[in-house]
Amino acid sequence: MDTTELARPVVVGVDGSQAALDAVRWAVDEAVGRSVPLRLVHATGVTPRVDQSDDEFRLEREYAETALRAASAAAQSAGREVKLETEILWGSPDSELVTESHGASMVCVGSVGIGAIANVLLGSTAVTVSMQAQCCVAVLRRGARPAPNGSVAVATDGTPDSDGVVIGALDEARLRGCPVVVVGVRRWESHAPSYDELDRRTAQLADRYPDVRTKVVATDGGIVRYLTHQRDDDIEMVVVGSADADAVADMVGPHDTLFGRDKGHSVLVVR
C-alpha cells in the first residue's frame, strides 16, 4: 500500500444528531488504526447560487458550524491522538458523501434505526452511500460504542470473491478486540457452501489472525434471514460485501418487527 492510500481519511457525515456523534466516537479508532486523519463533514442540503448573498445562507452555515464543533468535541473526548479535519459541504448529503468516498478509506454515517418506510427514514443517504460509495461504508446504530462489545458477523458464500469481505471482518474484529461469526449464506445464483468447505476456507483466512476467535455457521438463506432468526443477541456489527449492500436498510432495522427486539445492528459494507 502506497503513502497516498495510507493518507486517505476516515470520513464521518455529521448532522448534529446523537447518532452522528456516536458515529464520530466509533470512527476515531478506525482513523487511529489506519494512521489517517478523521475528516468530519456536514452537508447542508442546499447549493448556493451566484446571485445570492452569503447572508441568505447564514442559518445553514451557523448550524453546520455548530454540528462540526460538537463532532470535534466528541472525537477529542475519546482521548486518542488523531488528526481532525472539518469542512462544510454545500450540497445534498448523499451526493457529497459519495463524492467524499473517492478519496476516503472509509465513510461513516449514523442511524437511529428505521421503520416500515425504510429507505426514507434510514435516509436515502445511508442507502445511497452504501450502494454507490467507492470505499468501505459503516452505517452505525445510535449507541455504537468504540470499546469492544459483542461480536462481528460476516456474510460469505464461500467463494474467493467473498474472501475480501471475511478479511475485512477479521480486520475489524482485531481492531475492536471481539470475535467473528462467519455466516455461510445462499445467493440466488449459487448453492449454499457446505459447512466443511466454509470451515476450511475460514481457517485458511483466519490463520493470519491468531488473536481473533472465529465461529462458523451455515444458513440456507441470506444474511437478513439469518439475523431475523438467530438467537444470539451479542452481534453488534454485520459485515457484508457489495452483493448485500442493497439490504443495508433491512439489516439496520426495523428492529421492533423484523428482529423482534429493539436492538439493531450496525453494518459495514466492504469493498
Side-chain angles (χ1 to χ4, degrees):
M1 185 178 294
D2 61 27
T3 55
T4 301
E5 178 68 17
L6 289 173
R8 291 175 177 262
V10 172
V11 175
V12 187
V14 300
D15 60 2
S17 68
Q18 185 59 51
L21 296 180
D22 289 340
V24 169
R25 296 185 186 96
W26 185 91
V28 168
D29 285 341
E30 297 291 335
V32 172
R34 289 170 168 76
S35 299
V36 299
L38 181 63
R39 177 170 165 80
L40 311 176
V41 300
H42 175 88
T44 62
V46 298
T47 303
R49 300 196 310 268
V50 294
D51 61 341
Q52 291 174 299
S53 67
D54 289 342
D55 191 57
E56 292 182 73
F57 296 96
R58 179 175 54 82
L59 292 179
E60 285 85 357
R61 182 178 294 280
E62 288 179 353
Y63 184 84
E65 291 173 345
T66 299
L68 288 172
R69 280 196 298 270
S72 297
Q76 292 165 354
S77 71
R80 305 200 65 182
E81 189 171 335
V82 61
K83 180 181 178 181
L84 287 179
E85 301 174 356
T86 63
E87 187 170 351
I88 300 172
L89 306 176
W90 294 91
S92 67
D94 50 357
S95 63
E96 292 298 329
L97 288 174
V98 169
T99 298
E100 286 283 320
S101 75
H102 288 263
S105 59
M106 178 182 286
V107 171
C108 306
V109 293
S111 171
V112 295
I114 52 182
I117 45 177
N119 286 2
V120 175
L121 295 184
L122 175 58
S124 62
T125 296
V127 174
T128 300
V129 174
S130 296
M131 296 181 66
Q132 297 183 13
Q134 300 300 303
C135 65
C136 296
V137 176
V139 181
L140 298 156
R141 280 287 308 220
R142 184 174 59 187
R145 283 157 286 188
N149 189 67
S151 58
V152 171
V154 56
T156 174
D157 58 11
T159 65
D161 288 343
S162 287
D163 287 354
V165 182
V166 176
I167 289 172
L170 290 167
D171 284 335
E172 188 63 32
R174 171 178 280 174
L175 178 64
R176 305 290 168 180
C178 61
V180 173
V181 180
V182 180
V183 183
V185 299
R186 179 192 296 275
R187 305 211 184 279
W188 290 111
E189 67 276 11
S190 66
H191 296 292
S194 69
Y195 179 86
D196 289 342
E197 175 188 0
L198 192 63
D199 188 55
R200 181 171 57 253
R201 195 167 198 89
T202 298
Q204 292 173 346
L205 297 175
D207 187 55
R208 289 172 281 173
Y209 299 81
D211 51 333
V212 178
R213 291 186 291 116
T214 61
K215 179 175 74 172
V216 176
V217 299
T219 179
D220 60 358
I223 185 63
V224 173
R225 180 173 178 178
Y226 171 77
L227 295 171
T228 303
H229 294 97
Q230 63 90 22
R231 298 178 179 178
D232 190 355
D233 288 339
D234 74 345
I235 293 176
E236 290 292 326
M237 171 163 279
V238 184
V239 180
V240 298
S242 297
D244 293 306
D246 60 350
V248 165
D250 291 330
M251 287 182 277
V252 175
H255 315 294
D256 54 346
T257 56
L258 177 65
F259 296 103
R261 54 198 172 104
D262 291 333
K263 183 175 183 292
H265 304 91
S266 296
V267 179
L268 176 63
V269 180
V270 173
R271 290 184 173 83

